[in-house]
Amino acid sequence: MLKLPIYLDYSATTPVDPRVAEKMIPYLVEKFGNPASRSHSFGWEAEAAVEEARDEVAKLVNADPKEIVWTSGATESNNLAIKGAAHFYSGKGKHVITVKTEHKAVLDTCRELEREGFEVSYLDVRDDGLLDLDVFRAALRPDTILVSVMFVNNEIGVIQPIAEIGEICRGKGIIFHVDAAQATGKVLIDLATLKVDLMSFCAHKTYGPKGIGALYIRRKPRVRLEAQMHGGGHERGFRSGTLATHQIVGMGEAFRLAREEMGVENERVRMLRDRLLKGLSDIDQVFINGDMEQRVPHNLNISFAYIEGESMLMAIKDLAVSSGSACTSASLEPSYVLRALGREDELAHSSIRFTLGRFTTLEEIDYAIKLLHEKIGKLRELSPLWEMVQEGVDLSTVQWAAH
Amino acid sequence: MLANNETGVLQDIAALATQARATGAWFHTDAVQAVGKIAVDFRALNAAGVHALTLSAHKIGGPKGAAALVLDKRVELEPLIAGGGHERGLRSGTENVAAIVGFGVACELAVQQLATAAPRLIALRGLLETGLRAMEATLFAASAERLPNTVYFALPRVDGETLVGQLDRAGFALASGAACSSANPEPSHVLRAMGVAPELARGAVRISLGSASTLAQVNDFLNTLQITLSKLQRLTAIAV
């Protein structure tokens, strides 16, 4: 039996896998010790669980557990990485490079650096959403100290050329940070070969709990950071504060499951995503946003021309989807990511992000296809723009009255 | 801070805030150890000149990983974590919903239990202190107003770390200071600041009770402590 609404917003957050929740619960009730307590077995038990989880997180990305620092989530990891590195290396230069399609956690942090006197270059992307390496090379300056590029885009799912960017940065001694919040469990990450210095992770996009994340800080060659949170010197001084044992255990288990199951899971999700795409491709005037090759299998971002995004979301209430990222879905502005791809406002405004995941079923995808066919037909019947287009009017030549 | 995490001493925050207000200073208090153990009235503190108060879930029976800042609306802060503008721009990042829900329930329960919990803990603490005094313990800050659940003491010629280790093996989990600094062998900075001699501070052991602590546990503890103590003092005597 199909249960409504259907969740197709796995990039906003994922449910906690029941296997993960089960592993977390004992650490709330019986094994509740403070991992920093060194004087009794409650503390030792909690500390052992924290270290086991650190191993699991490190294993998923082929890093040393000593390179993993716990945080409250990817936003905090991004803040710690970007501000921490910029502050530490500010004696070498004050120029930072990032990309216009980054998550707000990176963009807002970079704005903060600008207020502090740093200079930030926000690079354009190609119309497929990918960063052009020539554009990147041209932006580098002798005083560039830090580059931040996300692994997988949260809105359109494209995979940036992290290996190539890493090579260029390492060659010039520039610190390279990667926000991998959307990448874990979706793409293979091998930090032994990738020349990445700092990488942000979070649990709740990979079937772990909200409120826990990690930052990878490379040891060889060693990367230094200025801590952003003080008090007690936890996590080798990089991030103070009592460790949330159950959350950490949850992230460890979620990342262990991702490592073991991602191969099979990604192929199943890809099959469903491709079925959704095929099912929608006979609708007139639909446009896919972002490259389809360099892309995670979970994501489909489509613009339905001549339909207003918000009325679309209202019409398809049976589907839990978003027209942008969760963090900006309260705003009515068209997605800044799609605008950076060169989409006009109308198309950016009529876009829907479908993100599939571990618990998405074939039945749900077929229901979604059917519903979208019905509703798009209805909404376009009501659209005066659609009517004009059907009559052969070129909308770009129309003189609109201001109001 | 409102209540000290090692000694349990309660500062007269309202009086301090009134003084601070005379100079126009903002006043923040860390109430992490106080909330749930004594009545904390932000409205009254705010009227006295307190503008911000910190509380945390995992000290009151809620989960680790959730906390809150109570803030006077007139205070403007510079956020430390940027990115998306959650929590009215003061603290970005996806909310830890499960932990926050747990925090809410823990607060609700704390309010319900406050009136009955405190007298019970004070009675248990009294028993502990009588027993400790009989063993010639020094009770730190015993004359000050303190949290109902905390006893901080040192026994003559007994190292705090050693005692805590022995008691752990005997089935009692306590600490020789704060958890965050328990890897640090230095004597407590809190006791040093109170003018306690380093030799005595090295003997410090903190007992902090909770809603699950019972009279039987307290009696057991005192018996075990007496036995452990005789053993340790005998060893010391031999060593000397």
Side-chain angles (χ1 to χ4, degrees):
Chain A
M1 205 30 220
L2 201 61
K3 204 167 151 259
L4 298 176
I6 295 166
Y7 191 72
L8 290 172
D9 203 12
Y10 278 79
S11 284
T13 191
T14 59
V16 174
D17 190 297
R19 294 170 289 179
V20 171
E22 200 182 325
K23 187 136 190 210
M24 290 170 68
I25 287 166
Y27 290 93
L28 280 165
V29 189
E30 311 112 61
K31 305 178 179 182
F32 60 84
N34 185 331
S37 289
R38 297 285 164 85
S39 54
H40 47 70
S41 54
F42 293 88
W44 304 331
E45 183 179 50
E47 195 195 13
V50 164
E51 295 315 315
E52 192 191 318
R54 203 190 299 274
D55 267 4
E56 290 299 346
V57 169
K59 262 192 213 158
L60 178 68
V61 294
N62 200 15
D64 187 314
K66 292 194 198 77
E67 296 175 310
I68 304 295
V69 163
W70 301 115
T71 67
S72 63
T75 296
E76 189 191 330
S77 295
N78 288 335
N79 273 259
L80 173 57
I82 294 169
K83 284 191 270 192
H87 292 165
F88 194 90
Y89 294 100
S90 61
K92 281 177 67 183
K94 294 206 126 186
H95 182 236
V96 175
I97 297 177
T98 187
V99 184
K100 285 186 178 165
T101 52
E102 292 294 307
H103 190 271
K104 285 281 183 197
V106 167
L107 295 177
D108 286 357
T109 306
C110 286
R111 292 268 179 242
E112 181 58 31
L113 286 180
E114 284 185 277
R115 272 190 289 275
E116 293 171 14
F118 287 85
E119 206 183 316
V120 182
S121 300
Y122 300 89
L123 302 184
D124 285 313
V125 291
R126 302 191 310 224
D127 62 5
D128 60 7
L130 293 165
L131 178 58
D132 186 323
L133 290 173
D134 290 329
V135 169
F136 174 66
R137 274 191 208 94
L140 293 166
R141 306 193 323 207
D143 62 341
T144 306
I145 50 166
L146 173 68
V147 168
S148 180
V149 179
M150 75 204 316
F151 214 130
V152 173
N153 185 275
N154 52 315
E155 291 193 28
I156 54 178
V158 297
I159 304 166
Q160 296 292 358
I162 296 303
E164 290 83 350
I165 298 168
E167 291 292 343
I168 299 168
C169 289
R170 185 62 57 82
K172 293 183 183 295
I174 298 168
I175 301 288
F176 181 31
H177 166 252
V178 173
D179 174 359
Q182 297 282 350
T184 48
K186 302 194 181 93
V187 293
L188 276 174
I189 303 174
D190 181 0
L191 285 166
T193 51
L194 287 175
K195 297 207 168 40
V196 170
D197 301 300
L198 299 160
M199 190 177 270
S200 304
F201 305 110
C202 76
H204 80 99
K205 313 272 192 199
T206 311
Y207 310 96
K210 294 173 190 61
I212 186 71
L215 180 65
Y216 160 85
I217 306 173
R218 182 176 288 280
R219 283 163 72 90
K220 283 179 195 160
R222 187 173 177 210
V223 176
R224 313 279 298 271
L225 293 180
E226 197 178 89
Q228 303 293 308
M229 216 171 284
H230 307 279
H234 307 69
E235 297 299 277
R236 282 170 293 122
F238 282 121
R239 201 275 194 179
S240 290
T242 296
L243 294 176
T245 317
H246 66 291
Q247 303 270 93
I248 289 171
V249 166
M251 183 163 176
E253 183 65 0
F255 276 37
R256 187 184 71 79
L257 292 171
R259 180 167 51 85
E260 288 185 351
E261 298 177 1
M262 65 185 280
V264 175
E265 181 173 303
N266 285 347
E267 284 325 301
R268 196 187 71 87
V269 168
R270 183 189 305 283
M271 183 273 288
L272 293 175
R273 194 267 317 265
D274 291 349
R275 186 181 179 95
L276 177 62
L277 174 58
K278 193 161 166 279
L280 300 179
S281 50
D282 59 343
I283 301 175
D284 256 356
Q285 300 275 344
V286 296
F287 302 91
I288 298 172
N289 298 308
D291 188 75
M292 278 307 287
E293 292 304 313
Q294 291 301 310
R295 187 188 196 109
V296 290
H298 306 67
N299 176 293
L300 188 61
N301 189 311
I302 299 190
S303 292
F304 299 91
Y306 314 112
I307 291 178
E308 201 265 322
E310 295 299 318
S311 44
M312 176 79 162
L313 287 182
M314 297 294 280
I316 54 168
K317 271 192 176 149
D318 281 351
L319 307 181
V321 292
S322 72
S323 57
S325 76
C327 317
T328 47
S329 63
S331 111
L332 288 174
E333 288 287 298
S335 149
Y336 67 88
V337 171
L338 297 184
R339 288 171 72 170
L341 263 56
R343 288 285 188 222
E344 323 86 273
D345 280 3
E346 284 81 17
L347 275 182
H349 221 140
S350 67
S351 76
I352 299 287
R353 177 184 75 174
F354 302 93
T355 44
L356 288 60
R358 186 171 289 171
F359 306 108
T360 307
T361 66
L362 192 70
E363 221 187 343
E364 289 177 336
I365 293 300
D366 287 344
Y367 182 91
I369 294 168
K370 194 167 143 269
L371 184 75
L372 284 159
H373 272 272
E374 274 170 36
K375 299 295 180 183
I376 288 164
K378 260 189 208 137
L379 285 170
R380 279 187 175 158
E381 275 169 32
L382 298 173
S383 161
L385 294 179
W386 180 249
E387 197 178 333
M388 287 165 81
V389 173
Q390 296 303 314
E391 285 163 5
V393 179
D394 179 356
L395 290 181
S396 60
T397 63
V398 175
Q399 296 283 316
W400 304 103
H403 60 89
Chain B
M1 69 195 340
L2 212 165
N4 185 275
N5 53 317
E6 292 188 22
T7 58
V9 167
L10 303 177
Q11 301 290 351
D12 189 349
I13 294 299
L16 297 171
T18 307
Q19 294 287 319
R21 189 168 52 185
T23 71
W26 296 114
F27 197 103
H28 164 255
T29 185
D30 175 356
V32 162
Q33 297 285 352
V35 170
K37 300 187 191 110
I38 56 168
V40 176
D41 181 346
F42 182 73
R43 236 177 265 284
L45 288 171
N46 188 228
V50 173
H51 303 96
L53 181 145
T54 304
L55 57 158
S56 169
H58 81 98
K59 305 285 190 195
I60 59 166
K64 296 177 188 62
L69 181 67
V70 187
L71 195 60
D72 185 313
K73 282 196 198 106
R74 293 166 293 183
V75 181
E76 288 186 64
L77 296 180
E78 198 178 274
L80 294 180
I81 298 183
H86 308 69
E87 296 296 297
R88 281 171 290 127
L90 287 176
R91 206 281 192 174
S92 290
T94 299
E95 295 84 349
N96 184 352
V97 181
I100 291 169
V101 170
F103 189 11
V105 176
C107 287
E108 234 180 286
L109 294 174
V111 170
Q112 285 168 20
Q113 291 163 5
L114 193 61
T116 50
R120 206 181 70 85
L121 290 172
I122 288 171
L124 293 178
R125 185 186 67 182
L127 279 174
L128 275 172
E129 290 183 344
T130 310
L132 287 166
R133 278 204 182 90
M135 292 176 223
E136 291 169 28
T138 304
L139 300 179
F140 299 115
S143 58
E145 242 197 278
R146 282 175 300 146
L147 288 175
N149 78 321
T150 309
V151 183
Y152 203 26
F153 68 96
L155 288 161
R157 300 177 305 282
V158 174
D159 176 62
E161 286 290 328
T162 312
L163 181 58
V164 164
Q166 296 276 335
L167 289 169
D168 177 64
R169 257 158 275 161
F172 293 94
L174 22 84
S176 54
C180 335
S181 48
S182 66
N184 183 350
E186 286 297 299
S188 150
H189 71 284
V190 173
L191 292 178
R192 296 302 307 279
M194 285 160 63
V196 174
E199 306 83 63
L200 187 59
R202 257 184 258 279
V205 171
R206 177 185 70 179
I207 304 174
S208 44
L209 304 168
S211 56
S213 310
T214 62
L215 178 61
Q217 286 176 349
V218 166
N219 285 329
D220 263 3
F221 171 75
L222 287 171
N223 288 334
T224 309
L225 182 62
Q226 184 64 66
I227 297 165
T228 312
L229 186 61
S230 322
K231 209 165 38 177
L232 286 174
Q233 283 172 340
R234 214 167 37 239
L235 286 174
T236 321
I238 294 166
V240 171

